[in-house]
Amino acid sequence: MARILLVTWDGGGNTPPMVQTGRALRERGHDVRVLGHAAQRAAMERAGFAFTAYRQTIPWERTAERDELEVFRVFADAGAGRDVEDALAAWPADAIVVDCLMVGALGAAIASGIPTAALVHSFYGYFRPMVEHSPAAELALAQDVDLPVDLWERADAVLVATDRALDVAAGPVPANVHWVGVAQPHVAAPAARADRAHVLVSFSTVWWPDQQESMQRVLDALGGLPVRVTATIGESVASARLRVPDNVDVRTFVPHTELMPDVSLVIGHGGHATTMLALAHGIPVLVVPQHPMLDQPIIGEVLAREGAGGLIATLPDVAEVQAAVTALLASDGPAAIGARLRATDGASAAAEHVEALLRAGVAA
């Protein structure tokens, strides 16, 4: 049995692949511990992981209004690296899996000499150029943290937890990059889609500047359609300030695995985790991206290209939403993509790569 440290951050959709990978490693007999933001403690402990909270990182609350650069400061923060060093001193690990965006933590993990994998929780074709050209690179250098792209290339493995056929990656790919497939809860069968009038609305659990108004416009549009709507609305949107149509049932939290078998369309922000879970159920996804610098617009473009959904503006008008919803409810859904995702166990594949690093015994 090996001791494996998972290093994450409280970003919402980035955590399911890390959790699923941790579960797969634990099922193989390994001792798994998580280092992350304090707000993640309850969820990680419910998932059965011992948990250590960051102590030296800058404060971070994903539901709070903030400067848009704040998330990049979190990624580049050298304090996360010091927390990794402290965690390893208290609990020496045999391998480390770090969220690919936490470059301050990734640098310390690589410097430890312990076999280290960076886990990419969305499209490599988006994240690779993003980490190279985003503000995270400049912020990292200001704290004497290596450039994100250099750290990715020095990691023993870069594990991409998405569907290779959908990824927009092009050109030469470094030898340490491996697509493992989507790491998500097992989906046994496609959604029945018998009720073509049931729509699930679920936006980001992270606060973004226009998300409140974006949600309102979508609800206004759905209120004028002959559909029933389940809207899961967390703390990133002030639900008390929304005008909620009579055909909309607002829920604070319901696991999407419980809702999707009875859903015919998902309207979301284009987060990778929610989108891939919907596709695995054979459900089309209408993407309403919440920030142009994120992977959400690219995911929406891919869905539109593949006939698996659509992409509309962050602040759409009623007619735009209604036309897109009507067309997607009448579509057959992404049946072939769904079958491929249901046949793939990305978490187990990621766990196998981590075990390969353990067998190698030393960092590359």
Side-chain angles (χ1 to χ4, degrees), residues 281-312:
H281 282 86
I283 303 168
V285 180
L286 177 61
V287 173
V288 190
Q290 296 304 302
H291 199 284
M293 290 184 66
L294 301 178
D295 57 340
Q296 300 162 9
I298 290 176
I299 287 175
E301 291 170 2
V302 169
L303 295 185
R305 183 192 71 205
E306 297 291 327
L311 174 66
I312 59 176

PDB file of all heavy atoms in Angstrom, residues 281-312:
ATOM      1  N   HIS A 281     -25.049  10.619 -20.197  1.00  0.00           N
ATOM      2  CA  HIS A 281     -26.465  10.246 -20.133  1.00  0.00           C
ATOM      3  C   HIS A 281     -27.154  10.387 -21.495  1.00  0.00           C
ATOM      4  O   HIS A 281     -28.366  10.157 -21.594  1.00  0.00           O
ATOM      5  CB  HIS A 281     -27.206  11.116 -19.113  1.00  0.00           C
ATOM      6  CG  HIS A 281     -26.975  10.707 -17.682  1.00  0.00           C
ATOM      7  ND1 HIS A 281     -25.909  11.141 -16.944  1.00  0.00           N
ATOM      8  CD2 HIS A 281     -27.692   9.885 -16.856  1.00  0.00           C
ATOM      9  CE1 HIS A 281     -25.968  10.628 -15.729  1.00  0.00           C
ATOM     10  NE2 HIS A 281     -27.036   9.859 -15.648  1.00  0.00           N
ATOM     11  N   GLY A 282     -26.409  10.820 -22.520  1.00  0.00           N
ATOM     12  CA  GLY A 282     -27.007  11.020 -23.831  1.00  0.00           C
ATOM     13  C   GLY A 282     -27.873  12.254 -23.920  1.00  0.00           C
ATOM     14  O   GLY A 282     -28.769  12.341 -24.774  1.00  0.00           O
ATOM     15  N   ILE A 283     -27.597  13.245 -23.076  1.00  0.00           N
ATOM     16  CA  ILE A 283     -28.412  14.457 -23.003  1.00  0.00           C
ATOM     17  C   ILE A 283     -27.666  15.609 -23.686  1.00  0.00           C
ATOM     18  O   ILE A 283     -26.496  15.868 -23.368  1.00  0.00           O
ATOM     19  CB  ILE A 283     -28.694  14.844 -21.537  1.00  0.00           C
ATOM     20  CG1 ILE A 283     -29.382  13.702 -20.794  1.00  0.00           C
ATOM     21  CG2 ILE A 283     -29.535  16.116 -21.465  1.00  0.00           C
ATOM     22  CD1 ILE A 283     -29.431  13.915 -19.296  1.00  0.00           C
ATOM     23  N   PRO A 284     -28.306  16.340 -24.588  1.00  0.00           N
ATOM     24  CA  PRO A 284     -27.662  17.520 -25.174  1.00  0.00           C
ATOM     25  C   PRO A 284     -27.518  18.630 -24.139  1.00  0.00           C
ATOM     26  O   PRO A 284     -28.278  18.698 -23.164  1.00  0.00           O
ATOM     27  CB  PRO A 284     -28.609  17.920 -26.301  1.00  0.00           C
ATOM     28  CG  PRO A 284     -29.937  17.384 -25.891  1.00  0.00           C
ATOM     29  CD  PRO A 284     -29.670  16.124 -25.127  1.00  0.00           C
ATOM     30  N   VAL A 285     -26.541  19.496 -24.360  1.00  0.00           N
ATOM     31  CA  VAL A 285     -26.243  20.570 -23.413  1.00  0.00           C
ATOM     32  C   VAL A 285     -26.219  21.907 -24.149  1.00  0.00           C
ATOM     33  O   VAL A 285     -25.509  22.072 -25.141  1.00  0.00           O
ATOM     34  CB  VAL A 285     -24.881  20.348 -22.725  1.00  0.00           C
ATOM     35  CG1 VAL A 285     -24.588  21.480 -21.737  1.00  0.00           C
ATOM     36  CG2 VAL A 285     -24.856  18.996 -22.012  1.00  0.00           C
ATOM     37  N   LEU A 286     -26.992  22.851 -23.644  1.00  0.00           N
ATOM     38  CA  LEU A 286     -26.959  24.227 -24.137  1.00  0.00           C
ATOM     39  C   LEU A 286     -26.039  25.023 -23.220  1.00  0.00           C
ATOM     40  O   LEU A 286     -26.306  25.163 -22.022  1.00  0.00           O
ATOM     41  CB  LEU A 286     -28.358  24.845 -24.139  1.00  0.00           C
ATOM     42  CG  LEU A 286     -28.439  26.316 -24.582  1.00  0.00           C
ATOM     43  CD1 LEU A 286     -27.937  26.490 -26.007  1.00  0.00           C
ATOM     44  CD2 LEU A 286     -29.877  26.822 -24.452  1.00  0.00           C
ATOM     45  N   VAL A 287     -24.939  25.521 -23.766  1.00  0.00           N
ATOM     46  CA  VAL A 287     -23.917  26.205 -22.971  1.00  0.00           C
ATOM     47  C   VAL A 287     -24.155  27.713 -22.992  1.00  0.00           C
ATOM     48  O   VAL A 287     -24.275  28.328 -24.058  1.00  0.00           O
ATOM     49  CB  VAL A 287     -22.509  25.881 -23.500  1.00  0.00           C
ATOM     50  CG1 VAL A 287     -21.456  26.725 -22.791  1.00  0.00           C
ATOM     51  CG2 VAL A 287     -22.209  24.393 -23.312  1.00  0.00           C
ATOM     52  N   VAL A 288     -24.206  28.282 -21.779  1.00  0.00           N
ATOM     53  CA  VAL A 288     -24.293  29.728 -21.584  1.00  0.00           C
ATOM     54  C   VAL A 288     -23.023  30.115 -20.813  1.00  0.00           C
ATOM     55  O   VAL A 288     -23.017  30.157 -19.591  1.00  0.00           O
ATOM     56  CB  VAL A 288     -25.553  30.119 -20.791  1.00  0.00           C
ATOM     57  CG1 VAL A 288     -25.762  31.631 -20.806  1.00  0.00           C
ATOM     58  CG2 VAL A 288     -26.788  29.401 -21.313  1.00  0.00           C
ATOM     59  N   PRO A 289     -21.905  30.360 -21.496  1.00  0.00           N
ATOM     60  CA  PRO A 289     -20.622  30.539 -20.806  1.00  0.00           C
ATOM     61  C   PRO A 289     -20.631  31.764 -19.899  1.00  0.00           C
ATOM     62  O   PRO A 289     -21.266  32.779 -20.208  1.00  0.00           O
ATOM     63  CB  PRO A 289     -19.628  30.698 -21.957  1.00  0.00           C
ATOM     64  CG  PRO A 289     -20.449  31.218 -23.095  1.00  0.00           C
ATOM     65  CD  PRO A 289     -21.799  30.573 -22.953  1.00  0.00           C
ATOM     66  N   GLN A 290     -19.909  31.654 -18.791  1.00  0.00           N
ATOM     67  CA  GLN A 290     -19.916  32.729 -17.807  1.00  0.00           C
ATOM     68  C   GLN A 290     -18.646  33.568 -17.792  1.00  0.00           C
ATOM     69  O   GLN A 290     -18.591  34.583 -17.092  1.00  0.00           O
ATOM     70  CB  GLN A 290     -20.165  32.141 -16.418  1.00  0.00           C
ATOM     71  CG  GLN A 290     -21.542  31.500 -16.287  1.00  0.00           C
ATOM     72  CD  GLN A 290     -22.666  32.469 -16.636  1.00  0.00           C
ATOM     73  OE1 GLN A 290     -22.789  33.534 -16.012  1.00  0.00           O
ATOM     74  NE2 GLN A 290     -23.473  32.116 -17.632  1.00  0.00           N
ATOM     75  N   HIS A 291     -17.629  33.161 -18.556  1.00  0.00           N
ATOM     76  CA  HIS A 291     -16.430  33.995 -18.659  1.00  0.00           C
ATOM     77  C   HIS A 291     -15.675  33.624 -19.927  1.00  0.00           C
ATOM     78  O   HIS A 291     -15.435  32.444 -20.187  1.00  0.00           O
ATOM     79  CB  HIS A 291     -15.524  33.815 -17.436  1.00  0.00           C
ATOM     80  CG  HIS A 291     -14.552  34.942 -17.263  1.00  0.00           C
ATOM     81  ND1 HIS A 291     -13.427  35.079 -18.054  1.00  0.00           N
ATOM     82  CD2 HIS A 291     -14.535  36.001 -16.407  1.00  0.00           C
ATOM     83  CE1 HIS A 291     -12.764  36.162 -17.689  1.00  0.00           C
ATOM     84  NE2 HIS A 291     -13.404  36.731 -16.699  1.00  0.00           N
ATOM     85  N   PRO A 292     -15.251  34.622 -20.713  1.00  0.00           N
ATOM     86  CA  PRO A 292     -14.603  34.330 -21.996  1.00  0.00           C
ATOM     87  C   PRO A 292     -13.220  33.707 -21.872  1.00  0.00           C
ATOM     88  O   PRO A 292     -12.731  33.096 -22.821  1.00  0.00           O
ATOM     89  CB  PRO A 292     -14.519  35.713 -22.669  1.00  0.00           C
ATOM     90  CG  PRO A 292     -14.554  36.692 -21.535  1.00  0.00           C
ATOM     91  CD  PRO A 292     -15.450  36.074 -20.511  1.00  0.00           C
ATOM     92  N   MET A 293     -12.552  33.836 -20.710  1.00  0.00           N
ATOM     93  CA  MET A 293     -11.212  33.293 -20.565  1.00  0.00           C
ATOM     94  C   MET A 293     -11.200  31.832 -20.132  1.00  0.00           C
ATOM     95  O   MET A 293     -10.145  31.197 -20.087  1.00  0.00           O
ATOM     96  CB  MET A 293     -10.412  34.131 -19.551  1.00  0.00           C
ATOM     97  CG  MET A 293     -10.039  35.515 -20.033  1.00  0.00           C
ATOM     98  SD  MET A 293      -9.015  36.402 -18.837  1.00  0.00           S
ATOM     99  CE  MET A 293      -7.520  35.408 -18.850  1.00  0.00           C
ATOM    100  N   LEU A 294     -12.376  31.295 -19.796  1.00  0.00           N
ATOM    101  CA  LEU A 294     -12.450  29.918 -19.315  1.00  0.00           C
ATOM    102  C   LEU A 294     -12.645  28.945 -20.475  1.00  0.00           C
ATOM    103  O   LEU A 294     -12.778  29.343 -21.632  1.00  0.00           O
ATOM    104  CB  LEU A 294     -13.583  29.802 -18.296  1.00  0.00           C
ATOM    105  CG  LEU A 294     -13.455  30.710 -17.067  1.00  0.00           C
ATOM    106  CD1 LEU A 294     -14.659  30.542 -16.160  1.00  0.00           C
ATOM    107  CD2 LEU A 294     -12.170  30.413 -16.303  1.00  0.00           C
ATOM    108  N   ASP A 295     -12.696  27.664 -20.150  1.00  0.00           N
ATOM    109  CA  ASP A 295     -12.884  26.640 -21.176  1.00  0.00           C
ATOM    110  C   ASP A 295     -14.323  26.545 -21.659  1.00  0.00           C
ATOM    111  O   ASP A 295     -14.616  25.846 -22.621  1.00  0.00           O
ATOM    112  CB  ASP A 295     -12.434  25.276 -20.644  1.00  0.00           C
ATOM    113  CG  ASP A 295     -13.156  24.863 -19.375  1.00  0.00           C
ATOM    114  OD1 ASP A 295     -13.708  25.733 -18.687  1.00  0.00           O
ATOM    115  OD2 ASP A 295     -13.157  23.655 -19.054  1.00  0.00           O
ATOM    116  N   GLN A 296     -15.236  27.255 -21.006  1.00  0.00           N
ATOM    117  CA  GLN A 296     -16.662  27.118 -21.290  1.00  0.00           C
ATOM    118  C   GLN A 296     -17.030  27.436 -22.748  1.00  0.00           C
ATOM    119  O   GLN A 296     -17.768  26.655 -23.375  1.00  0.00           O
ATOM    120  CB  GLN A 296     -17.458  27.994 -20.316  1.00  0.00           C
ATOM    121  CG  GLN A 296     -17.244  27.619 -18.866  1.00  0.00           C
ATOM    122  CD  GLN A 296     -17.647  28.704 -17.894  1.00  0.00           C
ATOM    123  OE1 GLN A 296     -18.253  29.710 -18.272  1.00  0.00           O
ATOM    124  NE2 GLN A 296     -17.320  28.513 -16.626  1.00  0.00           N
ATOM    125  N   PRO A 297     -16.574  28.560 -23.337  1.00  0.00           N
ATOM    126  CA  PRO A 297     -16.912  28.815 -24.745  1.00  0.00           C
ATOM    127  C   PRO A 297     -16.395  27.730 -25.682  1.00  0.00           C
ATOM    128  O   PRO A 297     -17.091  27.349 -26.631  1.00  0.00           O
ATOM    129  CB  PRO A 297     -16.247  30.168 -25.030  1.00  0.00           C
ATOM    130  CG  PRO A 297     -16.111  30.826 -23.694  1.00  0.00           C
ATOM    131  CD  PRO A 297     -15.833  29.706 -22.742  1.00  0.00           C
ATOM    132  N   ILE A 298     -15.200  27.213 -25.419  1.00  0.00           N
ATOM    133  CA  ILE A 298     -14.650  26.159 -26.273  1.00  0.00           C
ATOM    134  C   ILE A 298     -15.475  24.895 -26.155  1.00  0.00           C
ATOM    135  O   ILE A 298     -15.771  24.216 -27.155  1.00  0.00           O
ATOM    136  CB  ILE A 298     -13.175  25.898 -25.916  1.00  0.00           C
ATOM    137  CG1 ILE A 298     -12.311  27.089 -26.340  1.00  0.00           C
ATOM    138  CG2 ILE A 298     -12.674  24.611 -26.562  1.00  0.00           C
ATOM    139  CD1 ILE A 298     -10.862  26.976 -25.961  1.00  0.00           C
ATOM    140  N   ILE A 299     -15.887  24.548 -24.934  1.00  0.00           N
ATOM    141  CA  ILE A 299     -16.731  23.365 -24.750  1.00  0.00           C
ATOM    142  C   ILE A 299     -18.045  23.539 -25.507  1.00  0.00           C
ATOM    143  O   ILE A 299     -18.523  22.613 -26.173  1.00  0.00           O
ATOM    144  CB  ILE A 299     -16.965  23.111 -23.248  1.00  0.00           C
ATOM    145  CG1 ILE A 299     -15.681  22.576 -22.611  1.00  0.00           C
ATOM    146  CG2 ILE A 299     -18.122  22.133 -23.026  1.00  0.00           C
ATOM    147  CD1 ILE A 299     -15.741  22.395 -21.123  1.00  0.00           C
ATOM    148  N   GLY A 300     -18.633  24.725 -25.446  1.00  0.00           N
ATOM    149  CA  GLY A 300     -19.863  24.978 -26.191  1.00  0.00           C
ATOM    150  C   GLY A 300     -19.661  24.848 -27.689  1.00  0.00           C
ATOM    151  O   GLY A 300     -20.521  24.290 -28.395  1.00  0.00           O
ATOM    152  N   GLU A 301     -18.534  25.345 -28.191  1.00  0.00           N
ATOM    153  CA  GLU A 301     -18.243  25.229 -29.625  1.00  0.00           C
ATOM    154  C   GLU A 301     -18.101  23.772 -30.044  1.00  0.00           C
ATOM    155  O   GLU A 301     -18.582  23.366 -31.111  1.00  0.00           O
ATOM    156  CB  GLU A 301     -16.959  25.998 -29.952  1.00  0.00           C
ATOM    157  CG  GLU A 301     -17.106  27.512 -29.832  1.00  0.00           C
ATOM    158  CD  GLU A 301     -15.770  28.228 -29.926  1.00  0.00           C
ATOM    159  OE1 GLU A 301     -14.742  27.529 -30.127  1.00  0.00           O
ATOM    160  OE2 GLU A 301     -15.742  29.466 -29.789  1.00  0.00           O
ATOM    161  N   VAL A 302     -17.441  22.972 -29.213  1.00  0.00           N
ATOM    162  CA  VAL A 302     -17.273  21.552 -29.523  1.00  0.00           C
ATOM    163  C   VAL A 302     -18.622  20.841 -29.558  1.00  0.00           C
ATOM    164  O   VAL A 302     -18.902  20.038 -30.460  1.00  0.00           O
ATOM    165  CB  VAL A 302     -16.331  20.889 -28.503  1.00  0.00           C
ATOM    166  CG1 VAL A 302     -16.357  19.367 -28.639  1.00  0.00           C
ATOM    167  CG2 VAL A 302     -14.907  21.407 -28.681  1.00  0.00           C
ATOM    168  N   LEU A 303     -19.480  21.140 -28.591  1.00  0.00           N
ATOM    169  CA  LEU A 303     -20.800  20.510 -28.561  1.00  0.00           C
ATOM    170  C   LEU A 303     -21.604  20.875 -29.813  1.00  0.00           C
ATOM    171  O   LEU A 303     -22.266  20.013 -30.409  1.00  0.00           O
ATOM    172  CB  LEU A 303     -21.565  20.942 -27.310  1.00  0.00           C
ATOM    173  CG  LEU A 303     -20.986  20.512 -25.961  1.00  0.00           C
ATOM    174  CD1 LEU A 303     -21.923  20.917 -24.841  1.00  0.00           C
ATOM    175  CD2 LEU A 303     -20.707  19.028 -25.904  1.00  0.00           C
ATOM    176  N   ALA A 304     -21.557  22.136 -30.199  1.00  0.00           N
ATOM    177  CA  ALA A 304     -22.286  22.558 -31.397  1.00  0.00           C
ATOM    178  C   ALA A 304     -21.739  21.855 -32.635  1.00  0.00           C
ATOM    179  O   ALA A 304     -22.498  21.397 -33.496  1.00  0.00           O
ATOM    180  CB  ALA A 304     -22.195  24.076 -31.545  1.00  0.00           C
ATOM    181  N   ARG A 305     -20.415  21.741 -32.717  1.00  0.00           N
ATOM    182  CA  ARG A 305     -19.781  21.077 -33.861  1.00  0.00           C
ATOM    183  C   ARG A 305     -20.159  19.603 -33.937  1.00  0.00           C
ATOM    184  O   ARG A 305     -20.353  19.041 -35.021  1.00  0.00           O
ATOM    185  CB  ARG A 305     -18.266  21.210 -33.729  1.00  0.00           C
ATOM    186  CG  ARG A 305     -17.469  20.619 -34.881  1.00  0.00           C
ATOM    187  CD  ARG A 305     -16.010  20.532 -34.514  1.00  0.00           C
ATOM    188  NE  ARG A 305     -15.754  19.500 -33.510  1.00  0.00           N
ATOM    189  CZ  ARG A 305     -14.721  19.498 -32.681  1.00  0.00           C
ATOM    190  NH1 ARG A 305     -13.846  20.496 -32.704  1.00  0.00           N
ATOM    191  NH2 ARG A 305     -14.545  18.518 -31.812  1.00  0.00           N
ATOM    192  N   GLU A 306     -20.272  18.959 -32.785  1.00  0.00           N
ATOM    193  CA  GLU A 306     -20.548  17.526 -32.733  1.00  0.00           C
ATOM    194  C   GLU A 306     -22.040  17.200 -32.745  1.00  0.00           C
ATOM    195  O   GLU A 306     -22.413  16.026 -32.687  1.00  0.00           O
ATOM    196  CB  GLU A 306     -19.912  16.929 -31.471  1.00  0.00           C
ATOM    197  CG  GLU A 306     -18.403  17.029 -31.412  1.00  0.00           C
ATOM    198  CD  GLU A 306     -17.727  16.135 -32.431  1.00  0.00           C
ATOM    199  OE1 GLU A 306     -18.276  15.049 -32.727  1.00  0.00           O
ATOM    200  OE2 GLU A 306     -16.652  16.517 -32.937  1.00  0.00           O
ATOM    201  N   GLY A 307     -22.893  18.217 -32.797  1.00  0.00           N
ATOM    202  CA  GLY A 307     -24.325  17.974 -32.742  1.00  0.00           C
ATOM    203  C   GLY A 307     -24.792  17.494 -31.382  1.00  0.00           C
ATOM    204  O   GLY A 307     -25.822  16.821 -31.262  1.00  0.00           O
ATOM    205  N   ALA A 308     -24.025  17.846 -30.342  1.00  0.00           N
ATOM    206  CA  ALA A 308     -24.326  17.386 -28.989  1.00  0.00           C
ATOM    207  C   ALA A 308     -24.883  18.499 -28.105  1.00  0.00           C
ATOM    208  O   ALA A 308     -25.087  18.297 -26.913  1.00  0.00           O
ATOM    209  CB  ALA A 308     -23.064  16.812 -28.348  1.00  0.00           C
ATOM    210  N   GLY A 309     -25.124  19.670 -28.686  1.00  0.00           N
ATOM    211  CA  GLY A 309     -25.629  20.786 -27.902  1.00  0.00           C
ATOM    212  C   GLY A 309     -25.502  22.077 -28.671  1.00  0.00           C
ATOM    213  O   GLY A 309     -25.444  22.081 -29.910  1.00  0.00           O
ATOM    214  N   GLY A 310     -25.437  23.174 -27.932  1.00  0.00           N
ATOM    215  CA  GLY A 310     -25.362  24.481 -28.569  1.00  0.00           C
ATOM    216  C   GLY A 310     -24.656  25.475 -27.682  1.00  0.00           C
ATOM    217  O   GLY A 310     -24.353  25.203 -26.517  1.00  0.00           O
ATOM    218  N   LEU A 311     -24.367  26.646 -28.220  1.00  0.00           N
ATOM    219  CA  LEU A 311     -23.671  27.724 -27.526  1.00  0.00           C
ATOM    220  C   LEU A 311     -24.401  29.018 -27.792  1.00  0.00           C
ATOM    221  O   LEU A 311     -24.668  29.366 -28.949  1.00  0.00           O
ATOM    222  CB  LEU A 311     -22.229  27.821 -28.027  1.00  0.00           C
ATOM    223  CG  LEU A 311     -21.372  28.992 -27.516  1.00  0.00           C
ATOM    224  CD1 LEU A 311     -21.117  28.851 -26.024  1.00  0.00           C
ATOM    225  CD2 LEU A 311     -20.059  29.067 -28.285  1.00  0.00           C
ATOM    226  N   ILE A 312     -24.751  29.734 -26.702  1.00  0.00           N
ATOM    227  CA  ILE A 312     -25.390  31.040 -26.841  1.00  0.00           C
ATOM    228  C   ILE A 312     -24.617  32.055 -26.010  1.00  0.00           C
ATOM    229  O   ILE A 312     -23.667  31.711 -25.306  1.00  0.00           O
ATOM    230  CB  ILE A 312     -26.877  31.004 -26.427  1.00  0.00           C
ATOM    231  CG1 ILE A 312     -27.043  30.547 -24.977  1.00  0.00           C
ATOM    232  CG2 ILE A 312     -27.679  30.112 -27.361  1.00  0.00           C
ATOM    233  CD1 ILE A 312     -28.494  30.588 -24.493  1.00  0.00           C
TER     234      ILE A 312
END
